[in-house]
Amino acid sequence: MRLYRLLLLVGVLSLLVVAQAQDSEEPTQSPSPTRSSEKPTETPNEESASEPQEDEKTTEEQGDIGSDEPTEEEELDSEEPSFDESYDETGMPGSVSLTTPDYMTIPTPMFEIGQNITLGWEYSNDTKRPPKKLSICGKFPKDSNKSQNQRALCDWDIAVNISGSLRKYVWNTVTHGAPGVAFVADSGYLMYFYDSDYGVNNAVPGAGRIVPSVFWFNMYNSRYDLTNQGVPDGYNPSRATAVHVGNLWWITTVAMLSISAVFFN
């Protein structure tokens, strides 16, 4: 009986020793921390503070990139001038040339008093800034004693502030003359074309603008309708064609033969 108890005690002790030995052999593992599935809540102040920062960053990025559409100032700066700005200092002024009547063919045209005179003109190539308004005036001959002011360049207006784009004008010598002064058949009249914005007395209006351009002309009275010479009314001697030399010799020969026949008979 005692032997049985001793064996039972030894068996129990052996089981305890084995159990302890197994416990000592297994490594100790620290418990892994558990992750919380709940996200930390943010206060309303933090949300409102973070959103404007993102907006400001986006605005700054857009500002660096720039807009594709040019601003009004950029459009004005990008507009090219009509010509080089240095032309104001180095460029030549423009002028007017008379085409009707052709001043190159008829340096001193003759205009009939009391009739409508057609004037035609063009601007020179240097006229980079043609006038917006054009004026034309006239001056009596110096020896006619018709000018009320000898120092004035003009005695009467032919056209005032007509469009600068015109190239033709009809001058009525009856209605557009010097007030109270009648035209006389004489030579040495003057006609001025000038930019209305600068006046006839401005000899240097600027590069590309017309200087006052002056032309000589004569005036005459037509009395051909009162004669019996077969010359039609309205005949303009400025446009008369010269007599051909062959015809002139023929006429002279016939005249001489006629005179000889009368003399010898």
Side-chain angles (χ1 to χ4, degrees):
M1 189 66 177
R2 289 181 181 178
L3 182 59
Y4 176 76
R5 291 180 178 176
L6 181 60
L7 293 173
L8 181 60
L9 181 59
V10 172
V12 171
L13 291 174
S14 299
L15 292 174
L16 291 176
V17 172
V18 172
Q20 290 179 357
Q22 291 178 353
D23 294 337
S24 62
E25 290 178 358
E26 294 178 358
T28 59
Q29 298 180 354
S30 59
S32 59
T34 58
R35 295 182 179 179
S36 175
S37 60
E38 297 180 358
K39 295 182 180 180
T41 59
E42 295 181 357
T43 60
N45 294 333
E46 293 178 353
E47 293 178 356
S48 60
S50 61
E51 291 177 355
Q53 292 178 357
E54 294 178 357
D55 295 338
E56 292 176 359
K57 183 177 180 182
T58 303
T59 304
E60 292 176 357
E61 293 177 355
Q62 293 178 353
D64 295 338
I65 295 175
S67 174
D68 294 336
E69 298 180 357
T71 61
E72 183 177 356
E73 295 180 356
E74 292 176 349
E75 289 180 352
L76 293 176
D77 294 338
S78 63
E79 291 182 358
E80 296 182 356
S82 58
F83 54 90
D84 189 358
E85 294 180 356
S86 62
Y87 191 86
D88 288 331
E89 299 178 358
T90 61
M92 296 293 293
S95 61
V96 176
S97 60
L98 198 62
T99 58
T100 304
D102 189 354
Y103 207 73
M104 298 298 294
T105 305
I106 309 173
T108 308
M110 297 183 67
F111 299 147
E112 184 179 354
I113 298 173
Q115 299 296 321
N116 293 333
I117 309 300
T118 300
L119 302 174
W121 63 89
E122 62 183 12
Y123 301 121
S124 65
N125 294 331
D126 292 322
T127 309
K128 305 298 183 180
R129 294 172 173 173
K132 296 181 179 179
K133 295 178 293 183
L134 182 71
S135 294
I136 310 172
C137 63
K139 178 72 175 178
F140 286 110
K142 290 184 178 180
D143 57 355
S144 64
N145 296 324
K146 294 286 186 178
S147 296
Q148 297 180 357
N149 186 357
Q150 291 291 343
R151 294 183 178 181
L153 293 180
C154 297
D155 293 324
W156 78 92
D157 292 321
I158 298 175
V160 179
N161 294 336
I162 62 176
S163 175
S165 62
L166 294 178
R167 296 294 185 274
K168 186 177 180 180
Y169 181 79
V170 177
W171 169 31
N172 188 330
T173 59
V174 176
T175 60
H176 289 71
V181 181
F183 291 115
V184 294
D186 201 351
S187 60
Y189 285 88
L190 296 177
M191 179 183 300
Y192 289 89
F193 288 74
Y194 62 94
D195 191 328
S196 301
D197 293 332
Y198 292 89
V200 68
N201 295 310
N202 191 345
V204 188
R209 295 187 172 90
I210 63 169
V211 296
S213 303
V214 59
F215 304 96
W216 295 85
F217 67 97
N218 303 331
M219 301 196 77
Y220 70 97
N221 282 310
S222 175
R223 295 187 177 88
Y224 296 135
D225 58 335
L226 303 179
T227 65
N228 194 23
Q229 303 299 323
V231 180
D233 183 26
Y235 169 75
N236 188 346
S238 296
R239 297 183 179 180
T241 58
V243 178
H244 194 270
V245 176
N247 295 335
L248 182 60
W249 279 106
W250 173 253
I251 295 173
T252 305
T253 302
V254 172
M256 292 298 294
L257 291 174
S258 300
I259 294 173
S260 299
V262 173
F263 180 78
F264 289 106
N265 289 334

